[in-house]
Amino acid sequence: MSSECKNVSNPNSLFGDMSGSNATVTPEGCGSVSVVFPITMMVTGMVGNSLAIILVYISYRKKENKRKQSFLLCVGSLALTDLFGQLLTSPIVISVYRAGLNWKRVDPAFVLCSFFGVCMTTFGLGSLFMASAMATDRALAITAPHWYSNNMKTSVTKQVLPTVWCLVLLFALLPVAGVGKYTLQWPGTWCFIDTGERNTAGNTFFATTFAVLGSCSLLLTVFCNVVTIRALVARCRAKLSASQSSKQWERLTTETVIQLLGIMCVLLVCWSPLLILMLKMIATHTSYHKCRTKMVSSHDLQMECKFFLTAIRLASLNQILDPWVYLLLREILLRKFCQVANAVSNCSLEGHKETQKETQKETVLDTTKKQAFENDEFQKLSPVSPGGSGQA
């Protein structure tokens, strides 16, 4: 929000029918400034997720990637979930901003409000569940490779993913069936679960279930990634006795650990504020509907309202960052890019010579194995093998 925004009384404002009172406010002068944010998020999200889907599709079609198809399906499903989430919600937000933050101009009957809330719930939980599925996949692949290769078939993944989608969608439709409620949120550009309404049947149950499911999914992802990191470090230490492969395993382990730590940091930063805030609001039976009334003059209340808006924006930002932390900014690609950049700028000339000397000392057999291993890792689009860690 711009510091130039002002709260003014407007009896015909966007919140008139939703709050049951005409004493409502519209943040005047914010539309032309804040519309840049949703437009930027939509464009960057579409580009990143589209690139991820293309790369996953190319790798999935390759015959040598049959062992990796289960994991590729999870990555592709996550990218599709994030892409559709932005395509279905961002245009509505942009339209409301262009309408001067007046939701009623865009949606007089408030039908889009329920649709928006369903999308937020479906694609929010869907992204978290997909992240948990991939974290579980990685943990099983590295800790129980033989069991994984015998039981986790591609057909199982194809059945589980649509099931998760359907269950999440059915849950998100509960307010449409009368259990729970979606309501317009400050500053009137988005709709989400009402956390303070106690008169609506099942509203507390619905809001609590969303927050608990999201929190459990987040914790499961972090737990599985920690298990994977520990298992990889243990394997790397076990490989130290083999001098020819120890450097290779040390490098791959470092890259994997960095990527998994990045995934955990992104998830925690993007989702923790919203989930924690929702649990707090549910426990105290409060909501930020008062943000849209004249009572918003309190400085502390203004800060709380802005923090809630920031929390939902961070959760939406996760849809943009997912394809980059899972695929597009893989450490192996970053390293090669940095090597080229350093060579051009002559900043790492000595290091480049050292690398050439070490490469010349390697036997032809070791070099061939190393290249085949890196190509396999690159095609898989993840540093951890979901096919059973055959190289271990």
Short mmCIF file of all heavy atoms in Angstrom, two decimals, residues 76-107:
data_model
loop_
_atom_site.label_atom_id
_atom_site.label_comp_id
_atom_site.label_asym_id
_atom_site.label_seq_id
_atom_site.Cartn_x
_atom_site.Cartn_y
_atom_site.Cartn_z
N GLY A 76 5.47 -31.54 -12.20
CA GLY A 76 4.54 -30.97 -13.17
C GLY A 76 3.21 -30.60 -12.57
O GLY A 76 2.62 -29.57 -12.91
N SER A 77 2.71 -31.42 -11.65
CA SER A 77 1.43 -31.12 -10.99
C SER A 77 1.54 -29.87 -10.13
O SER A 77 0.61 -29.05 -10.08
CB SER A 77 1.01 -32.31 -10.12
OG SER A 77 0.79 -33.46 -10.90
N LEU A 78 2.67 -29.70 -9.47
CA LEU A 78 2.87 -28.50 -8.67
C LEU A 78 2.89 -27.26 -9.55
O LEU A 78 2.27 -26.24 -9.23
CB LEU A 78 4.17 -28.60 -7.87
CG LEU A 78 4.55 -27.37 -7.05
CD1 LEU A 78 3.51 -27.12 -5.95
CD2 LEU A 78 5.94 -27.52 -6.43
N ALA A 79 3.60 -27.35 -10.68
CA ALA A 79 3.66 -26.22 -11.61
C ALA A 79 2.28 -25.89 -12.18
O ALA A 79 1.90 -24.72 -12.28
CB ALA A 79 4.66 -26.50 -12.73
N LEU A 80 1.51 -26.92 -12.53
CA LEU A 80 0.15 -26.69 -13.04
C LEU A 80 -0.75 -26.08 -11.97
O LEU A 80 -1.55 -25.19 -12.26
CB LEU A 80 -0.44 -28.02 -13.52
CG LEU A 80 -0.02 -28.51 -14.90
CD1 LEU A 80 -0.56 -29.90 -15.16
CD2 LEU A 80 -0.49 -27.54 -15.99
N THR A 81 -0.61 -26.57 -10.74
CA THR A 81 -1.42 -26.03 -9.64
C THR A 81 -1.13 -24.55 -9.44
O THR A 81 -2.06 -23.73 -9.31
CB THR A 81 -1.12 -26.81 -8.35
OG1 THR A 81 -1.45 -28.19 -8.53
CG2 THR A 81 -1.94 -26.26 -7.18
N ASP A 82 0.15 -24.20 -9.40
CA ASP A 82 0.52 -22.79 -9.20
C ASP A 82 0.09 -21.93 -10.39
O ASP A 82 -0.37 -20.79 -10.21
CB ASP A 82 2.03 -22.67 -9.00
CG ASP A 82 2.49 -23.29 -7.68
OD1 ASP A 82 1.65 -23.40 -6.77
OD2 ASP A 82 3.67 -23.68 -7.58
N LEU A 83 0.23 -22.47 -11.60
CA LEU A 83 -0.13 -21.70 -12.80
C LEU A 83 -1.63 -21.42 -12.84
O LEU A 83 -2.04 -20.27 -13.05
CB LEU A 83 0.30 -22.47 -14.05
CG LEU A 83 -0.01 -21.79 -15.39
CD1 LEU A 83 0.71 -20.46 -15.50
CD2 LEU A 83 0.37 -22.70 -16.55
N PHE A 84 -2.45 -22.43 -12.64
CA PHE A 84 -3.89 -22.23 -12.66
C PHE A 84 -4.35 -21.35 -11.50
O PHE A 84 -5.30 -20.58 -11.64
CB PHE A 84 -4.61 -23.57 -12.63
CG PHE A 84 -4.74 -24.22 -13.97
CD1 PHE A 84 -3.92 -25.27 -14.33
CD2 PHE A 84 -5.67 -23.77 -14.88
CE1 PHE A 84 -4.02 -25.87 -15.57
CE2 PHE A 84 -5.79 -24.36 -16.14
CZ PHE A 84 -4.96 -25.41 -16.48
N GLY A 85 -3.69 -21.48 -10.36
CA GLY A 85 -4.05 -20.63 -9.24
C GLY A 85 -3.89 -19.16 -9.56
O GLY A 85 -4.72 -18.33 -9.17
N GLN A 86 -2.84 -18.83 -10.29
CA GLN A 86 -2.62 -17.42 -10.65
C GLN A 86 -3.51 -16.98 -11.80
O GLN A 86 -4.00 -15.86 -11.82
CB GLN A 86 -1.16 -17.21 -11.00
CG GLN A 86 -0.23 -17.34 -9.81
CD GLN A 86 1.11 -16.72 -10.06
OE1 GLN A 86 1.65 -16.85 -11.14
NE2 GLN A 86 1.64 -16.04 -9.07
N LEU A 87 -3.71 -17.87 -12.76
CA LEU A 87 -4.54 -17.51 -13.91
C LEU A 87 -6.00 -17.25 -13.51
O LEU A 87 -6.68 -16.41 -14.12
CB LEU A 87 -4.49 -18.62 -14.96
CG LEU A 87 -3.19 -18.75 -15.76
CD1 LEU A 87 -3.26 -19.95 -16.69
CD2 LEU A 87 -2.90 -17.48 -16.55
N LEU A 88 -6.49 -17.94 -12.49
CA LEU A 88 -7.88 -17.80 -12.11
C LEU A 88 -8.14 -16.68 -11.11
O LEU A 88 -9.27 -16.18 -11.02
CB LEU A 88 -8.39 -19.13 -11.51
CG LEU A 88 -8.47 -20.30 -12.49
CD1 LEU A 88 -8.90 -21.58 -11.76
CD2 LEU A 88 -9.43 -20.00 -13.63
N THR A 89 -7.11 -16.29 -10.35
CA THR A 89 -7.33 -15.26 -9.32
C THR A 89 -6.75 -13.89 -9.68
O THR A 89 -7.37 -12.87 -9.37
CB THR A 89 -6.71 -15.72 -7.98
OG1 THR A 89 -5.32 -15.99 -8.17
CG2 THR A 89 -7.40 -16.97 -7.47
N SER A 90 -5.59 -13.86 -10.32
CA SER A 90 -4.94 -12.57 -10.61
C SER A 90 -5.79 -11.63 -11.47
O SER A 90 -5.86 -10.43 -11.19
CB SER A 90 -3.58 -12.79 -11.26
OG SER A 90 -2.69 -13.42 -10.38
N PRO A 91 -6.45 -12.13 -12.54
CA PRO A 91 -7.29 -11.21 -13.32
C PRO A 91 -8.40 -10.55 -12.51
O PRO A 91 -8.74 -9.39 -12.76
CB PRO A 91 -7.87 -12.12 -14.41
CG PRO A 91 -6.88 -13.22 -14.55
CD PRO A 91 -6.38 -13.46 -13.17
N ILE A 92 -8.95 -11.27 -11.54
CA ILE A 92 -10.00 -10.68 -10.70
C ILE A 92 -9.42 -9.56 -9.85
O ILE A 92 -10.00 -8.47 -9.75
CB ILE A 92 -10.64 -11.76 -9.81
CG1 ILE A 92 -11.28 -12.85 -10.67
CG2 ILE A 92 -11.68 -11.14 -8.88
CD1 ILE A 92 -11.85 -14.01 -9.87
N VAL A 93 -8.28 -9.81 -9.25
CA VAL A 93 -7.63 -8.80 -8.41
C VAL A 93 -7.30 -7.55 -9.24
O VAL A 93 -7.56 -6.42 -8.83
CB VAL A 93 -6.36 -9.37 -7.76
CG1 VAL A 93 -5.63 -8.28 -6.97
CG2 VAL A 93 -6.71 -10.53 -6.85
N ILE A 94 -6.73 -7.77 -10.42
CA ILE A 94 -6.37 -6.65 -11.28
C ILE A 94 -7.61 -5.85 -11.69
O ILE A 94 -7.60 -4.61 -11.72
CB ILE A 94 -5.62 -7.16 -12.52
CG1 ILE A 94 -4.27 -7.77 -12.10
CG2 ILE A 94 -5.39 -6.03 -13.52
CD1 ILE A 94 -3.55 -8.49 -13.22
N SER A 95 -8.70 -6.56 -12.00
CA SER A 95 -9.94 -5.88 -12.39
C SER A 95 -10.48 -5.01 -11.26
O SER A 95 -10.95 -3.89 -11.49
CB SER A 95 -11.00 -6.91 -12.80
OG SER A 95 -10.56 -7.67 -13.91
N VAL A 96 -10.39 -5.51 -10.02
CA VAL A 96 -10.88 -4.74 -8.87
C VAL A 96 -10.00 -3.51 -8.65
O VAL A 96 -10.50 -2.42 -8.34
CB VAL A 96 -10.92 -5.61 -7.61
CG1 VAL A 96 -11.31 -4.78 -6.39
CG2 VAL A 96 -11.92 -6.76 -7.79
N TYR A 97 -8.70 -3.67 -8.80
CA TYR A 97 -7.81 -2.51 -8.66
C TYR A 97 -8.13 -1.46 -9.72
O TYR A 97 -8.18 -0.26 -9.44
CB TYR A 97 -6.35 -2.95 -8.80
CG TYR A 97 -5.70 -3.33 -7.50
CD1 TYR A 97 -5.36 -4.66 -7.23
CD2 TYR A 97 -5.42 -2.37 -6.53
CE1 TYR A 97 -4.76 -5.01 -6.04
CE2 TYR A 97 -4.82 -2.73 -5.32
CZ TYR A 97 -4.49 -4.05 -5.09
OH TYR A 97 -3.90 -4.40 -3.91
N ARG A 98 -8.37 -1.92 -10.96
CA ARG A 98 -8.67 -0.98 -12.04
C ARG A 98 -10.03 -0.33 -11.86
O ARG A 98 -10.30 0.73 -12.43
CB ARG A 98 -8.62 -1.71 -13.39
CG ARG A 98 -7.27 -2.34 -13.72
CD ARG A 98 -6.13 -1.37 -13.60
NE ARG A 98 -6.28 -0.24 -14.51
CZ ARG A 98 -5.53 0.84 -14.49
NH1 ARG A 98 -4.57 0.97 -13.57
NH2 ARG A 98 -5.73 1.81 -15.36
N ALA A 99 -10.89 -0.97 -11.06
CA ALA A 99 -12.21 -0.41 -10.78
C ALA A 99 -12.20 0.49 -9.56
O ALA A 99 -13.25 0.81 -9.00
CB ALA A 99 -13.22 -1.53 -10.58
N GLY A 100 -11.02 0.91 -9.15
CA GLY A 100 -10.91 1.82 -8.00
C GLY A 100 -11.13 1.12 -6.67
O GLY A 100 -11.67 1.70 -5.73
N LEU A 101 -10.73 -0.15 -6.56
CA LEU A 101 -10.91 -0.95 -5.36
C LEU A 101 -12.38 -1.12 -4.98
O LEU A 101 -12.71 -1.26 -3.81
CB LEU A 101 -10.13 -0.35 -4.17
CG LEU A 101 -8.62 -0.24 -4.33
CD1 LEU A 101 -7.99 0.33 -3.07
CD2 LEU A 101 -8.01 -1.59 -4.65
N ASN A 102 -13.24 -1.10 -5.96
CA ASN A 102 -14.67 -1.27 -5.73
C ASN A 102 -15.09 -2.63 -6.28
O ASN A 102 -15.33 -2.79 -7.48
CB ASN A 102 -15.46 -0.15 -6.42
CG ASN A 102 -16.91 -0.12 -5.98
OD1 ASN A 102 -17.50 -1.14 -5.67
ND2 ASN A 102 -17.47 1.08 -5.95
N TRP A 103 -15.16 -3.61 -5.40
CA TRP A 103 -15.48 -4.97 -5.81
C TRP A 103 -16.86 -5.05 -6.45
O TRP A 103 -17.10 -5.83 -7.36
CB TRP A 103 -15.41 -5.91 -4.60
CG TRP A 103 -15.60 -7.36 -4.93
CD1 TRP A 103 -16.77 -8.01 -5.19
CD2 TRP A 103 -14.57 -8.35 -5.07
NE1 TRP A 103 -16.55 -9.34 -5.46
CE2 TRP A 103 -15.20 -9.58 -5.40
CE3 TRP A 103 -13.17 -8.32 -4.94
CZ2 TRP A 103 -14.49 -10.75 -5.59
CZ3 TRP A 103 -12.47 -9.50 -5.13
CH2 TRP A 103 -13.12 -10.69 -5.46
N LYS A 104 -17.77 -4.22 -5.97
CA LYS A 104 -19.16 -4.28 -6.45
C LYS A 104 -19.27 -3.92 -7.92
O LYS A 104 -20.16 -4.39 -8.62
CB LYS A 104 -20.02 -3.35 -5.61
CG LYS A 104 -21.51 -3.63 -5.70
CD LYS A 104 -22.27 -2.81 -4.68
CE LYS A 104 -23.76 -3.14 -4.76
NZ LYS A 104 -24.55 -2.36 -3.78
N ARG A 105 -18.37 -3.08 -8.43
CA ARG A 105 -18.39 -2.74 -9.85
C ARG A 105 -18.04 -3.96 -10.71
O ARG A 105 -18.58 -4.12 -11.81
CB ARG A 105 -17.39 -1.62 -10.14
CG ARG A 105 -17.74 -0.29 -9.53
CD ARG A 105 -16.70 0.74 -9.94
NE ARG A 105 -16.92 2.02 -9.29
CZ ARG A 105 -16.10 3.06 -9.41
NH1 ARG A 105 -15.00 2.94 -10.15
NH2 ARG A 105 -16.36 4.18 -8.78
N VAL A 106 -17.14 -4.78 -10.23
CA VAL A 106 -16.72 -5.96 -10.98
C VAL A 106 -17.67 -7.12 -10.75
O VAL A 106 -17.96 -7.90 -11.67
CB VAL A 106 -15.28 -6.35 -10.57
CG1 VAL A 106 -14.82 -7.61 -11.30
CG2 VAL A 106 -14.31 -5.21 -10.83
N ASP A 107 -18.17 -7.24 -9.53
CA ASP A 107 -19.00 -8.39 -9.15
C ASP A 107 -20.17 -7.92 -8.30
O ASP A 107 -20.15 -8.05 -7.07
CB ASP A 107 -18.13 -9.39 -8.37
CG ASP A 107 -18.90 -10.63 -7.94
OD1 ASP A 107 -19.86 -10.99 -8.64
OD2 ASP A 107 -18.52 -11.21 -6.90
#
